[in-house]
Amino acid sequence: MTSETLEQGATGAQRGRGRRISTGRLGDRLFGISARGSGILLLLIIAAIAVFLIAKAVPALKADKANFLTSQEWSPDAAQPRFGILQLTWGTLLSSFMALILATPVAIGIALFIAFYSPRRLASGLGYVVDLLAAVPSVVYGLWGLQFFVPKMAHVANFLHDHFGWIPLFGGDSVGGQSILTAAVVLAIMILPIISSISREVFLQVPRANVEAALALGATRWEVIRMAVLPFGRSGMVSAAMLGLGRALGETIAVAMVLSTAAGISLRILKPGGNTFAANIANTFGMAGNMGRGALIASGLVLFVITLVVNMLARAIVARRKEFS
């Protein structure tokens, strides 16, 4: 083989490497542009939603004769429109946070059982069943809650009122099944698969070396979970809980079906009545006039802001946890 042939081969190899490098750089640029464009598009969509809500809400807010933030009235189509969101804010936050308190421990327990306690064959099937609950439509939960769960919760409400009525939450002159507590339990069942599935995936990412090291030191299974698994998955659990809270805040049909709307703010969670942003929009949008629809859109704008704030707080908590770790 002559030196000229060797030089030609080396030149061809260099050209091939150059083409691969240029192709790789082109792919990097295209991927960067597409990723950046996707992020910008998402921000534009959020901004467009905010602009639409603000534009539709401003005329109704200008015509409102009551304080929009502190009033409990809701008569936007009256001759003198008067409406406010205080009751809606209270009902939405109370039912959502109660649902979060009820669902999070159960969801994390399910995730830990599937990840560390159950046999592998059972774990795969059980995980599939839990994930399947997230695919059930809201109207199915609402129908189940209205036809089956509300009558059962009426008995539970009577029991709590009779035995624990001295606690302000369970007190009151009247109790019933269509209460904030019932709505919170239905919401908890709806957000449970979301929190559980995300927490399970986080737990499965725990480094195996950490688990084996704890076991080698003589730790029990619970001590392994407490010392190695939960600290590693804390930020993921917070993210899962906040995602579930976001679902609970915006849930519409199920809450509208199981909750008997009534005016007023109350700490008594067994009392029939209460209202939320989403349920109020679902129940009154069809019969509302122009001013009423503007008022409903204004309430939707507040719910939009609350959801954004919750997500921002979740991101901040996760970031702090990462820095602490």
Side-chain angles (χ1 to χ4, degrees), residues 90-220:
W90 173 255
T92 300
L93 295 179
L94 181 61
S95 60
S96 299
F97 278 102
M98 286 177 57
L100 187 66
I101 293 171
L102 293 172
T104 302
V106 179
I108 292 176
I110 293 172
L112 289 172
F113 175 76
I114 294 174
F116 296 101
Y117 284 91
S118 66
R120 289 299 92 192
R121 291 183 179 179
L122 178 61
S124 59
L126 187 59
Y128 176 77
V129 171
V130 172
D131 294 341
L132 189 63
L133 289 175
V136 177
S138 299
V139 66
V140 175
Y141 281 110
L143 289 172
W144 169 79
L146 181 62
Q147 298 296 323
F148 175 81
F149 197 61
V150 167
K152 305 297 182 184
M153 283 300 295
H155 299 299
V156 175
N158 288 326
F159 174 83
L160 293 174
H161 182 265
D162 293 340
H163 294 82
F164 302 99
W166 51 272
I167 301 175
L169 285 176
F170 303 136
D173 298 330
S174 62
V175 297
Q178 291 185 287
S179 61
I180 286 289
L181 178 61
T182 303
V185 174
V186 173
L187 287 176
I189 296 172
M190 296 181 68
I191 68 176
L192 188 146
I194 297 174
I195 302 174
S196 178
S197 59
I198 296 176
S199 299
R200 182 183 74 242
E201 294 302 321
V202 172
F203 295 152
L204 291 174
Q205 301 304 316
V206 176
R208 190 63 189 172
N210 294 6
V211 177
E212 292 177 352
L215 291 173
L217 292 173
T220 63

Side-chain angles (χ1 to χ4, degrees), residues 49 53 68 85 88-89 91-93 96 245-252 276-282 295-311:
I49 294 173
L53 293 174
F68 179 68
I85 60 167
L88 303 179
T89 304
T92 300
L93 295 179
S96 299
L245 178 60
R247 168 73 188 274
L249 287 170
E251 182 51 47
T252 305
T276 66
F277 284 110
N280 186 57
I281 293 173
L296 292 173
I297 292 175
S299 67
L301 175 62
V302 176
L303 180 60
F304 179 74
V305 173
I306 292 175
T307 306
L308 285 181
V309 171
V310 168
N311 289 328

Side-chain angles (χ1 to χ4, degrees), residues 243-262:
L243 186 61
L245 178 60
R247 168 73 188 274
L249 287 170
E251 182 51 47
T252 305
I253 298 299
V255 176
M257 295 179 73
V258 303
L259 192 63
S260 63
T261 57

